[in-house]
Amino acid sequence: MNSRITQFLGSLALVTALAACIPQAEQSDRPESALEFPLPDRPVSTITSNQFSNEDARDDRGEAQKVMDLANIGEGMTVADIGAGEGYYTVRLAERVGEAGRVLAQDIDRDALERLGRRVEKERLENISIKLGEVDDPQLPNSSFDRIFLVHMYHEVSEPYAFLWRLWPALTEGGQVIVVDTDRPTDRHGMPPKLLFCEFDAAGYRLMEFLEKPDIKGYFARFERSDTRPEPGAIKACSLNKE
């Protein structure tokens, strides 16, 4: 078995699930490490499944290939798949970046990552590593990733400002965050684009590209780091209800 997978499966600790789909202001169990950041002024979706949809159906419409093409994924790149679940994007990214590239699969769901670990070992994918994350911290090494993928998962992040703020240093020079989501309310497993743009901007990113993509049942957004990252106390929560 891949030594990285063996180590992961042997030492993975239990984690707290993402917050329930209720307004965050009602919650009193925030991690201490998130308290200096604002709460999101919106509901947060529950995690209902780590399989967004059937992989064959997604491949029939060419979802992963289209998204990887839009994100300019090529051989030798280092990519993080956040909210990897059971690995639909992870394994396809690993094939695209090749032996010279690396893919880090991250999630906060212990069981899903254990299943992904078995899949990686069975398919002998030597360029994939697996890491457990936290609700407010993706736990990524600094200056390490050319692309960071957030596919149909950002609406489930219960501490988006802390999460994005701690994601910022993980990008390489010229690195990009790729978001794929659906334009519908956050309590219906979607993310309105206007709110997405505002939250990323508040945490120190700028929008590079936005495309409506009915062929992948959602939209594609690309962000890069702004020149500076704001102090946590200076971040203001975004709201669609504000002018």
Side-chain angles (χ1 to χ4, degrees):
M1 180 181 288
N2 185 309
S3 61
R4 293 186 300 274
I5 305 304
T6 302
Q7 182 179 13
F8 167 79
L9 295 177
S11 63
L12 191 60
L14 291 174
V15 297
T16 303
L18 280 177
C21 183
I22 59 176
Q24 293 298 292
E26 296 178 9
Q27 299 200 39
S28 59
D29 57 351
R30 298 180 70 197
E32 184 175 351
S33 53
L35 296 181
E36 61 183 330
F37 296 90
L39 289 160
D41 188 10
R42 59 171 172 83
V44 174
S45 292
T46 54
I47 298 178
T48 55
S49 172
N50 276 290
Q51 294 178 314
F52 175 72
S53 65
N54 178 271
E55 289 198 11
D56 290 337
R58 298 175 84 172
D59 278 343
D60 285 345
R61 59 178 179 263
E63 178 188 329
Q65 298 303 318
K66 292 173 182 176
V67 171
M68 290 189 294
D69 288 346
L70 289 169
N72 308 118
I73 302 300
E75 289 193 11
M77 295 180 73
T78 302
V79 182
D81 181 16
I82 308 300
E86 297 183 10
Y88 173 72
Y89 270 86
T90 299
V91 299
R92 289 155 180 81
L93 286 165
E95 180 180 1
R96 178 70 73 96
V97 303
E99 293 183 1
R102 299 292 307 167
V103 177
L104 176 65
Q106 186 261 42
D107 208 298
I108 65 166
D109 186 323
R110 175 181 183 269
D111 293 337
L113 288 183
E114 287 181 341
R115 291 191 294 272
L116 176 55
R118 291 191 290 270
R119 179 177 186 175
V120 167
E121 188 253 332
K122 180 180 179 181
E123 298 183 23
R124 298 182 180 181
L125 300 171
E126 297 294 330
N127 61 345
I128 294 175
S129 298
I130 292 176
K131 186 174 182 63
L132 183 70
E134 301 290 344
V135 297
D136 64 332
D137 189 348
Q139 300 280 322
L140 301 182
N142 289 349
S143 304
S144 297
F145 297 97
D146 303 307
R147 299 290 186 273
I148 297 175
F149 275 59
L150 310 177
V151 179
H152 293 295
M153 60 76 65
Y154 182 70
H155 53 265
E156 296 175 346
V157 178
S158 61
E159 295 286 350
Y161 299 105
F163 176 88
L164 291 176
W165 193 86
R166 294 187 171 116
L167 189 74
W168 196 95
L171 290 167
T172 58
E173 187 70 27
Q176 300 167 3
V177 179
I178 305 300
V179 178
V180 176
D181 219 311
T182 305
D183 185 2
R184 58 178 176 236
T186 56
D187 55 1
R188 292 177 50 210
H189 296 277
M191 188 71 194
K194 181 179 177 181
L195 191 54
L196 177 78
F197 304 158
C198 182
E199 292 187 354
F200 268 75
D201 178 72
Y205 298 82
R206 52 177 166 255
L207 177 68
M208 298 176 63
E209 184 179 23
F210 176 80
L211 298 170
E212 296 280 2
K213 296 293 293 179
D215 52 341
I216 62 170
K217 295 189 174 181
Y219 60 74
F220 172 94
R222 185 201 308 261
F223 298 87
E224 65 179 6
R225 293 188 304 195
S226 298
D227 294 334
T228 58
R229 182 174 57 159
E231 292 298 321
I235 298 173
K236 305 298 182 184
C238 301
S239 173
L240 288 177
N241 298 319
K242 295 178 181 177
E243 295 296 333

